[in-house]
Amino acid sequence: MIVTVILFVFGTIIGSFLNVVGLRWNAKNFGGRSRCPSCGKTLRWYELAPVLSFVFLRARCARCKNRISWQYPAIEILTGLIFATVPYIYLPVFCLYIIILIYDFRHKIIPDSLVYSSVILALVFGSRDVIAGLILFSFFAAIWLLSSGRAIGFGDAKLGLSIGLLLGTAAGFSAIILAFWLGAASGILYMIFSPKNITMKSEMPFAPFLVLGAWLALIFNLDLLHVSLF
Ligand SMILES: [Zn+2]
């Protein structure tokens, strides 16, 4: 129990670092200390504590009082949960997945450098199930081709390859099914609760759902298609 708590806290610290990497990836000012995006002031130590700063500062910058994005604590908590539940060997790949999630959420595209690195790490630390990787890649590549790139991006196919290599057929296929369920549920909620009239045409990043699906399929050892029976 205490180990799980320590892993969670450690994960939130890593998550706060991954937030910075994900937000600054491919940006010119990659280095340097963290600043408030509104007033540009360098953040002080007590403004940098994962999750806690957000809660104690009531989601506002201590100086300019502008709202701090909910993305920061959300990613920190997610990373904490992943660190507390995922076997250690998978953590390097999941750190990359979280950066991909952040980047795709913001820019609606998955950088090749990140997804290919995750493919290599999945080959080193994962199930090394090449067949599963190729099936998931082909599945997404087919959707990409048939929809002329409108339904999903080609980056999702590369991420599918990575997830297949990492998790193998049973959990890998389950991750994809979960991703579609989560995506559909979020799409419906988004349409109901969004202030403006937004149709399904507005592009929705899919990598966040793939990453969440991969996490859940792994920790619950899912086999939604009963692949292991064959
Ligand atoms: Zn500020």
Side-chain angles (χ1 to χ4, degrees), residues 118-139:
S118 85
V119 166
I120 292 166
L121 285 182
L123 271 173
V124 176
F125 297 116
S127 71
R128 303 192 188 100
D129 191 334
V130 177
I131 304 291
L134 290 179
I135 291 175
L136 292 186
F137 176 81
S138 315
F139 174 69

Side-chain angles (χ1 to χ4, degrees), residues 7-228:
L7 281 169
F8 175 81
V9 173
F10 181 63
T12 61
I13 297 166
I14 299 292
S16 122
F17 168 73
L18 297 178
N19 253 326
V20 175
V21 177
L23 291 173
R24 295 187 189 176
W25 196 264
N26 286 347
K28 283 188 201 99
N29 53 341
F30 190 82
R33 297 190 50 191
S34 293
R35 293 166 186 281
C36 166
S38 304
C39 64
K41 288 270 162 55
T42 306
L43 298 181
R44 289 165 286 190
W45 63 269
Y46 61 86
E47 293 167 291
L48 290 167
V51 186
L52 295 175
S53 300
F54 187 83
V55 174
F56 286 118
L57 297 172
R58 296 190 193 152
R60 285 178 192 283
C61 169
R63 271 165 287 192
C64 70
K65 304 292 174 201
N66 269 304
R67 281 207 155 282
I68 303 168
S69 166
W70 56 270
Q71 185 198 307
Y72 293 96
I75 293 295
E76 287 159 1
I77 291 170
L78 174 69
T79 312
L81 291 174
I82 287 177
F83 269 64
T85 52
V86 164
Y88 308 135
I89 192 95
Y90 292 95
L91 289 178
V93 185
F94 271 92
C95 284
L96 273 175
Y97 283 174
I98 293 164
I99 303 173
I100 289 173
L101 180 158
I102 298 166
Y103 196 93
D104 191 38
F105 190 76
R106 193 150 278 223
H107 304 282
K108 313 258 171 22
I109 192 159
I110 304 175
D112 274 346
S113 49
L114 291 173
V115 73
Y116 286 137
S117 305
S118 85
V119 166
I120 292 166
L121 285 182
L123 271 173
V124 176
F125 297 116
S127 71
R128 303 192 188 100
D129 191 334
V130 177
I131 304 291
L134 290 179
I135 291 175
L136 292 186
F137 176 81
S138 315
F139 174 69
F140 283 116
I143 299 179
W144 175 74
L145 265 178
L146 293 172
S147 72
S148 310
R150 276 191 294 272
I152 57 165
F154 195 59
D156 296 313
K158 298 170 193 164
L159 187 56
L161 169 70
S162 172
I163 290 172
L165 289 171
L166 185 73
L167 302 181
T169 42
F173 292 1
S174 306
I176 306 313
I177 295 171
L178 273 181
F180 278 111
W181 286 350
L182 291 169
S186 310
I188 292 166
L189 288 175
Y190 189 66
M191 281 194 289
I192 295 173
F193 292 109
S194 73
K196 287 163 260 161
N197 278 326
I198 292 169
T199 58
M200 278 304 265
K201 266 185 186 167
S202 29
E203 244 185 291
M204 216 166 60
F206 197 54
F209 302 112
L210 284 171
V211 172
L212 290 176
W215 171 46
L216 296 172
L218 172 67
I219 61 172
F220 293 113
N221 203 12
L222 295 178
D223 185 8
L224 296 174
L225 287 185
H226 304 290
V227 180
S228 52

